Amino acid sequence: MFENALMLLSGAEKKSLDELDLDHTQLDQFTEWLRSLEIVFETDGHNISIPAGIDLLDSDAIHSLMPNRVAACLDKVEVLTEIDSTNSYLFKKSLSDKPGTLCLAERQTAGRGRRGRSWVSPFGTNLYMSLLWRMPLGQASIEGLSLAIGVAVVRGLNGEGFTGFKLKWPNDLLLNGGKVAGILIEMKPATKEHVELVVGVGINLNMPETSASKIDQPWQDLSDGMKSKSRNQLAAAVVSSMVDVLVQYPQAGFAGLKDEWDALDAYYDKPVELHLGPRTMRGLARGVDNAGAIKILIDGGIQCFHGGEISLRLADDSRS
Ligand code: BTN
């Protein structure tokens, strides 16, 4: 309802009510809305400004920042001001004739993580995006796709000059030991020919302190590195990298990305614990196999464990 006024204020200049096309009653509603989004503003009752400005997402900008080969794969790019979860939103949709719908939100009120966790998603700072994708069923296992997307996100961020990432099986992105990005892939029932997926990615760019206190695990953001970057540019780069991997996946599978994944492995050769429901297995992490299963050296032999509800942590670390 007030999206246009917010956009006019995003550049940090002071605007009058006339310029924003608001009357005094609407100003009260607008400022109430800004407060609910935790946006800091200044007003004297006739003029209003957002002194820090906001780097708002823009669907046209994101689309135009993608290479043509990627843009051609997308049906549409949608930016929502607020939604419960971009994954839930796209999961309810079904694909039109074109393969991909990309949805980004400025804020998620019920952002979802893996294993029932929530994903803290304050307004206008980080990236929350989901891609609805139709994958032909080939030889490649869908299990490895979750790891492949992790590699794709690292590639996308590296391409924008952000480095130092590690991957924690199956696909958590870590930076300096804290989680900086998470991936949630959800699948609709498959037909004989294809499966429809929602690939959701959350990346912490600049986590406000008020939201940081709600995160229940060690976390990181890209903070200072974001000062000279636009969120639109970063979103376009990461999604482009994901689309390239998704397009190649039915033929190439995870095998072609396995070495890249192993090189990024946060836990390679480290003592780890695997929690399989009530059971705990201990051993040395030895990377992943061609299908994306984690390899653990246990009692002198390698055992492979597949995804699902397994959780992995360092043997001496109770935080992750
Ligand atoms: C994880 O727990 O590691 C996965 C986090 C995934 C978060 C993203 S944010 C965009 C999309 N929408 C959601 O509700 N979750 C994913």
Side-chain angles (χ1 to χ4, degrees), residues 85-87 108 111-114 119 129 172 179 182-183 201-202:
S85 146
T86 53
N87 262 41
Q108 296 185 121
R112 295 187 293 112
R114 290 178 54 244
W119 189 257
M129 48 198 191
D172 286 354
K179 184 156 163 175
I183 295 162
V201 179

Side-chain angles (χ1 to χ4, degrees), residues 2-284:
F2 293 116
E3 275 80 4
N4 198 40
L6 184 63
M7 199 187 65
L8 292 169
L9 290 170
S10 63
E13 297 101 20
K14 191 191 278 189
K15 300 276 177 194
S16 67
L17 293 192
D18 274 356
E19 287 173 294
L20 299 177
D21 201 17
L22 298 178
D23 60 28
H24 281 93
T25 313
Q26 287 169 322
L27 176 67
D28 289 344
Q29 293 165 348
F30 181 48
T31 52
E32 200 173 306
W33 185 59
L34 292 179
R35 271 189 214 99
S36 76
L37 298 176
E38 298 183 42
I39 296 174
V40 178
F41 62 89
E42 284 174 2
T43 182
D44 58 8
H46 305 285
N47 302 286
I48 180 162
S49 69
I50 297 176
I54 312 183
D55 174 23
L56 288 174
L57 296 171
D58 181 297
S59 55
D60 291 339
I62 294 168
H63 200 261
S64 67
L65 287 162
M66 291 171 173
N68 289 341
R69 67 169 190 285
V70 171
C73 290
L74 296 183
D75 182 25
K76 69 171 169 187
V77 178
E78 201 174 354
V79 171
L80 306 172
T81 304
E82 184 171 271
I83 192 76
D84 51 355
S85 146
T86 53
N87 262 41
S88 307
Y89 174 74
L90 282 191
F91 202 82
K92 289 175 210 139
K93 286 188 182 256
S94 90
L95 283 177
S96 55
D97 292 342
K98 285 260 202 109
T101 301
L102 174 66
C103 169
L104 301 97
E106 293 287 7
R107 154 159 122 148
Q108 296 185 121
T109 52
R112 295 187 293 112
R114 290 178 54 244
R115 293 189 285 125
R117 280 182 137 141
S118 59
W119 189 257
V120 174
S121 311
F123 184 88
T125 53
N126 304 317
L127 284 178
Y128 324 113
M129 48 198 191
S130 301
L131 180 60
L132 180 58
W133 194 260
R134 180 179 294 161
M135 174 81 69
L137 286 177
Q139 299 299 310
S141 87
I142 290 293
E143 180 185 11
L145 180 67
S146 143
L147 285 79
I149 294 296
V151 173
V153 175
V154 173
R155 282 181 181 174
L157 292 172
N158 286 166
E160 290 301 302
F162 294 97
T163 55
F165 301 105
K166 292 280 175 194
L167 285 168
K168 178 186 159 203
W169 187 86
N171 58 19
D172 286 354
L173 260 77
L174 306 183
L175 183 64
N176 303 324
K179 184 156 163 175
V180 69
I183 295 162
L184 179 66
I185 302 184
E186 297 179 289
M187 206 182 301
K188 297 191 180 192
T191 67
K192 272 191 204 135
E193 296 83 32
H194 63 254
V195 56
E196 277 185 18
L197 306 161
V198 177
V199 182
V201 179
I203 307 177
N204 297 334
L205 306 184
N206 255 312
M207 186 65 79
E209 271 172 37
T210 45
S211 301
S213 58
K214 297 177 196 148
I215 306 179
D216 61 359
Q217 55 187 323
W219 64 274
Q220 266 291 330
D221 60 17
L222 300 181
S223 55
D224 288 350
M226 273 310 291
K227 282 190 182 129
S228 55
K229 294 276 170 199
S230 94
R231 291 198 296 146
N232 292 317
Q233 173 67 39
L234 213 59
V238 171
V239 170
S240 298
S241 177
M242 281 164 48
V243 167
D244 282 339
V245 163
L246 284 163
V247 167
Q248 286 158 14
Y249 195 82
Q251 286 79 43
F254 176 66
L257 299 170
K258 179 199 150 353
D259 290 348
E260 202 172 336
W261 198 98
D262 276 346
L264 290 164
D265 187 353
Y267 290 178
Y268 198 89
D269 249 353
K270 298 221 165 92
V272 292
E273 284 179 358
L274 265 184
H275 297 267
L276 306 117
R279 272 171 62 219
T280 299
M281 315 284 286
R282 293 186 179 81
L284 278 185

